Amino acid sequence: LVLGLMDGSLCCRVFAPKCASCGRPILPAQGSEETIRVVSMDKDYHVACYRCEDCGLQLNDEEARRCYPLEGHLLCHSCHIRRINVPHPTQPQPPPGYQLHVTEL
């Protein structure tokens, strides 16, 4: 527990989780006691940092904006499909009937 003075009031900061995207701590908004974060693939993210790593689309729980992780990467559906359809010299193609794994919020 770290105590400090901020704007004349006592501020209490408990070891906050770090965002897996930007590396900064995930803290409550000023004037709030509640921390809002996204947890995906056992990692913590700021809501604003929870984006497709390829195209930058903001991910959330809406059908068209859900996260389709692949090999540890946050991806939207379109980028996930594109990655599994692009042949890579060191990786075999996914087998027929490959199932997409969706991360729900």
Side-chain angles (χ1 to χ4, degrees):
L1 181 65
V2 178
L3 297 176
L5 287 176
M6 187 178 260
D7 297 334
S9 62
L10 187 60
C11 176
C12 220
R13 185 183 290 193
V14 179
F15 298 93
K18 300 262 190 258
C19 177
S21 180
C22 72
R24 294 185 317 224
I26 302 171
L27 301 171
Q30 191 168 2
S32 175
E33 294 180 14
E34 187 174 35
T35 300
I36 299 174
R37 64 185 171 148
V38 176
V39 179
S40 180
M41 299 184 304
D42 294 324
K43 296 178 183 175
D44 299 305
Y45 296 88
H46 291 105
V47 172
C49 293
Y50 190 58
R51 297 182 169 276
C52 174
E53 293 178 26
D54 285 0
C55 71
L57 178 74
Q58 179 78 49
L59 302 172
N60 58 39
D61 62 347
E62 295 173 19
E63 184 71 31
R65 294 177 171 262
R66 288 192 179 143
C67 180
Y68 292 81
L70 181 65
E71 298 173 349
H73 297 280
L74 298 177
L75 302 171
C76 67
H77 184 258
S78 298
C79 291
H80 180 103
I81 295 299
R82 191 181 75 252
R83 279 196 185 198
I84 63 172
N85 286 332
V86 173
H88 191 277
T90 62
Q91 295 178 344
Q93 288 294 306
Y98 175 78
Q99 296 293 314
L100 294 176
H101 298 280
V102 177
T103 300
E104 298 277 341
L105 292 179

